[in-house]
């Protein structure tokens, strides 16, 4: 369906450039469009993370190589992703171009004082975000700071498991699941907190953050950040200077 829609759009506007996000499926659709009648454009493909970290088997690898062959320019959102791709494509021309964040009008410091004992996490509720480790850590935090509470902004396939874990850890009253939060509402959520905790890790399937854009958003909002130590965060955080980098998947 996406291919059909893209083809119709290409025929209507005759683009000079098609910018495809993710190697699969976006990059593949861009590569297929180049083979269709009337196609006359340059193809830019941006890889974001999972499309690089997850192998997906031989067919996925074959399709990704076809995308890379077809692309006039390949960009990635962090230096870590560039290094990962160069391991298998040492001759590839790959530019690092992080995704943008509005640090002028949207993700800026708030006017009111934050709730000092409130922590915030924002992101999809999937394994590589490390939310389970954050919940495991919270009882230790509350032993020192009994008023500490956690806001979780986001939704995903692990939500039910994370709610159950909060119950087993007897911290349900200290954890607020906010569900999906739109980008325009996220600054207000960040401004409520005294600290953003983004405990990124490498999932069992090998998936990891491509950049961790929410880290930049929190910093723009004036919120100190703690992040899990995965390769991509070093593009954004200098430990002890612009934030804290802690061992991944270690609640202690």
């Amino acid at each position: 369906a996406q291919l059909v829609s893209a083809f119709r759009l290409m025929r209507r506007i005759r683009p000079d450039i098609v910018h495809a996000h993710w190697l699969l499926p976006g990059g593949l659709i861009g590569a297929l469009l180049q083979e269709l009648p009337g196609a006359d454009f340059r193809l830019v493909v941006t890889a974001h993370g999972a499309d690089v970290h997850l192998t997906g088997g031989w067919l996925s690898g074959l399709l990704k190589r076809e995308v890379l062959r077809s692309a006039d320019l390949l960009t990635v959102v962090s230096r870590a992703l560039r290094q990962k791709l160069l391991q298998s494509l040492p001759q590839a021309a790959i530019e690092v171009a992080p995704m943008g964040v509005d640090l002028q009008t949207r993700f800026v410091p708030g006017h009111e004082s934050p709730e000092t004992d409130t922590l915030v996490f924002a992101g999809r509720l999937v394994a590589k975000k490390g939310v389970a480790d954050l919940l495991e850590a919270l009882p230790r935090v509350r032993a020192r700071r009994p008023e500490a509470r956690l806001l979780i902004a986001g939704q995903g396939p692990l939500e039910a498991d994370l709610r159950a874990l909060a119950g087993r850890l007897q911290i349900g009253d200290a954890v607020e699941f906010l569900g999906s939060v739109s980008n325009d509402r996220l600054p207000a959520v960040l401004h409520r907190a005294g600290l953003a905790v983004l405990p990124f890790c490498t999932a069992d399937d090998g998936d990891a953050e491509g950049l961790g854009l929410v880290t930049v958003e929190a910093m723009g909002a004036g919120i100190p950040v703690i992040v899990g130590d995965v390769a991509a965060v070093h593009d954004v955080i200098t430990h002890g200077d612009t934030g804290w980098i802690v061992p991944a998947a270690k609640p202690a």
Side-chain angles (χ1 to χ4, degrees), residues 94-110:
I94 305 171
E95 298 289 340
V96 178
M99 299 303 294
V101 175
D102 178 1
L103 300 176
Q104 306 301 316
T105 61
R106 177 165 291 178
F107 291 98
V108 297

Side-chain angles (χ1 to χ4, degrees), residues 68-154:
L68 297 173
R69 185 193 66 78
S70 301
D72 294 285
L73 175 65
L74 174 63
T75 76
V76 292
V77 296
S78 67
R79 290 177 295 175
L81 285 182
R82 183 176 185 273
Q83 289 301 117
K84 179 97 173 186
L85 276 175
L86 286 175
Q87 291 174 9
S88 56
L89 299 162
Q91 306 302 320
I94 305 171
E95 298 289 340
V96 178
M99 299 303 294
V101 175
D102 178 1
L103 300 176
Q104 306 301 316
T105 61
R106 177 165 291 178
F107 291 98
V108 297
H111 300 295
E112 299 181 6
S113 298
E115 302 165 13
T116 306
D117 288 321
T118 298
L119 312 176
V120 64
F121 165 87
R124 289 190 67 227
L125 303 184
V126 293
K128 68 179 179 181
K129 303 293 186 179
V131 185
D133 297 320
L134 178 52
L135 292 176
E136 294 277 4
L138 192 57
R140 303 165 190 255
V141 175
R142 285 172 60 83
R144 298 275 295 274
R145 300 286 286 262
E147 299 303 314
R149 56 195 301 269
L150 171 63
L151 305 176
I152 296 178

Side-chain angles (χ1 to χ4, degrees):
Q2 190 178 53
L3 176 61
V4 170
S5 297
F7 176 66
R8 289 173 176 167
L9 191 60
M10 182 190 74
R11 294 291 298 271
R12 181 163 62 85
I13 69 174
R14 302 289 182 181
D16 297 304
I17 297 173
V18 169
H19 185 184
H21 289 265
W22 306 89
L23 298 177
L24 300 176
L28 179 61
I29 287 174
L32 291 172
L33 283 179
Q34 285 187 318
E35 304 301 323
L36 295 177
D40 183 22
F41 60 82
R42 306 295 290 276
L43 177 62
V44 179
V45 179
T46 293
H48 289 270
D51 47 350
V52 176
H53 290 300
L54 298 178
T55 57
W58 68 269
L59 179 58
S60 174
L62 181 67
L63 295 175
K64 288 179 186 179
R65 286 192 292 274
E66 178 60 25
V67 171
L68 297 173
R69 185 193 66 78
S70 301
D72 294 285
L73 175 65
L74 174 63
T75 76
V76 292
V77 296
S78 67
R79 290 177 295 175
L81 285 182
R82 183 176 185 273
Q83 289 301 117
K84 179 97 173 186
L85 276 175
L86 286 175
Q87 291 174 9
S88 56
L89 299 162
Q91 306 302 320
I94 305 171
E95 298 289 340
V96 178
M99 299 303 294
V101 175
D102 178 1
L103 300 176
Q104 306 301 316
T105 61
R106 177 165 291 178
F107 291 98
V108 297
H111 300 295
E112 299 181 6
S113 298
E115 302 165 13
T116 306
D117 288 321
T118 298
L119 312 176
V120 64
F121 165 87
R124 289 190 67 227
L125 303 184
V126 293
K128 68 179 179 181
K129 303 293 186 179
V131 185
D133 297 320
L134 178 52
L135 292 176
E136 294 277 4
L138 192 57
R140 303 165 190 255
V141 175
R142 285 172 60 83
R144 298 275 295 274
R145 300 286 286 262
E147 299 303 314
R149 56 195 301 269
L150 171 63
L151 305 176
I152 296 178
Q155 61 183 12
L158 295 183
E159 182 172 347
D161 292 342
L162 294 170
R163 287 180 179 273
L165 177 59
R168 291 196 300 273
L169 294 170
Q170 299 182 329
I171 54 172
D173 60 335
V175 179
E176 185 177 353
F177 287 86
L178 302 177
S180 179
V181 175
S182 62
N183 200 250
D184 60 330
R185 291 174 47 227
L186 183 56
V189 173
L190 295 172
H191 291 154
R192 290 173 57 185
L195 183 66
V197 188
L198 307 161
F200 306 129
C201 62
T202 300
D204 290 342
D205 60 7
D207 195 11
E209 283 297 304
L211 178 64
L213 205 63
V214 68
T215 306
V216 182
E217 294 170 341
M219 293 167 70
I223 311 301
V225 294
I226 293 178
V227 299
D229 192 359
V230 294
V233 301
H234 292 269
D235 275 22
V236 177
I237 298 293
T238 300
H239 178 65
D241 183 12
T242 57
W244 292 271
I245 299 175
V246 298
K250 295 184 183 296

